[in-house]
């Protein structure tokens, strides 16, 4: 297992925890370059009634205040939406590890064009975990990405 | 006072509350088209140690789950950063009222180019409120926008 795959495992664990709580199974984790976990989180729309808690933003919140994000790695089970892509750009993350971008592409091309390295692991566990959820709860998924 | 100026007053009230709490004075409020307040909030980086709580995202969180944002108006004392601009785009707000864009421009041109109406009120109270804070606490402001 590569270092990035090991990091993705932490994000998948978060996604599974979210599913176990009755929520949307998307998770994220932030690591430093030595592989130390700085913060992890998962989508909490359903659990907390909180539309601002996407996986990435929840991990970012849980990481607390940081002076710089340039040498931190954002790892997420799903390609980040515009909201989370905006966070990545504003705070200067330079590397994003994406579990999959088949279900949803979000802002990954925009991030690439702005110099962010995107490592897409095309992980089938991520595809299945979210795909099964969306088939069962399409209305909650659409709400989570602002689709009507 | 125009309807948008009255909405901005609610966001400025939030910014002043944040300042009174010892935080960065940026506030936001979300209204429906009848002028009803749906949610309001302010930057809480300092108060809660929460880097994810920008004015706009705090207002968005406090508004709770919404089925659609197309007919809601995001009002903010400062031009939204990339993070908050990404939120506005992902969730489909079509109108954003900005107190000022002199201090910081964020993603307003990007939003405009994606069809979002930006109403910039160029309000001097907003300019002074944040400008005074930045002069006193430049390091916290830089942290808030990911500048090193």
């Amino acid at each position: 297992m590569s270092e990035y795959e090991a990091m993705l495992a932490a994000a998948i664990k978060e996604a599974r925890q979210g599913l176990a709580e009755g929520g949307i199974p998307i998770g994220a984790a932030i690591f430093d370059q030595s592989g130390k976990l700085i913060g992890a989180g998962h989508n909490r729309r359903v659990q907390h009634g909180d539309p601002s808690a996407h996986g990435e933003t929840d991990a970012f919140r849980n990481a607390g205040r940081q002076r710089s994000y340039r040498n931190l790695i954002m790892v997420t089970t799903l390609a980040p939406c515009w909201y989370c892509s905006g966070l990545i750009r504003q705070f200067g993350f330079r590397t994003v590890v994406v579990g999959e971008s088949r279900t949803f592409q979000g802002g990954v091309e925009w991030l690439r064009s702005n110099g962010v390295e995107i490592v897409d692991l095309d992980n089938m566990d991520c595809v299945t975990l979210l795909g099964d959820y969306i088939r069962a709860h399409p209305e909650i998924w659409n709400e989570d990405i602002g689709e009507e």
Side-chain angles (χ1 to χ4, degrees), chain A residues 38-119:
Chain A
I38 305 296
H42 53 270
N43 191 299
R44 298 179 198 266
R45 170 177 296 272
V46 175
Q47 300 93 310
H48 294 179
D50 182 354
S52 77
H54 274 197
E56 298 90 326
T57 58
D58 195 48
F60 182 79
R61 183 184 306 168
N62 290 336
R65 290 171 63 179
Q66 302 285 332
R67 194 59 200 86
S68 172
Y69 296 87
R70 287 179 64 79
N71 294 317
L72 300 182
I73 301 163
M74 173 66 85
V75 184
T76 173
T77 58
L78 179 69
C81 76
W82 286 116
Y83 168 45
C84 298
S85 295
L87 180 146
I88 288 161
R89 179 169 177 186
Q90 186 66 49
F91 292 98
F93 287 91
R94 293 189 297 186
T95 305
V96 178
V97 176
V98 168
E100 62 115 344
S101 61
R102 295 183 185 224
T103 303
F104 181 78
Q105 292 72 48
V108 292
E109 286 310 319
W110 180 71
L111 288 172
R112 278 198 179 103
S113 72
N114 281 286
V116 178
E117 181 190 15
I118 306 287
V119 180

Side-chain angles (χ1 to χ4, degrees), chain A residues 26 45 54 78 81 104 140-147:
Chain A
I26 304 175
R45 170 177 296 272
H54 274 197
L78 179 69
C81 76
F104 181 78
I140 298 177
W141 165 247
N142 283 334
E143 182 189 306
D144 198 56
I145 56 168
E147 295 287 337

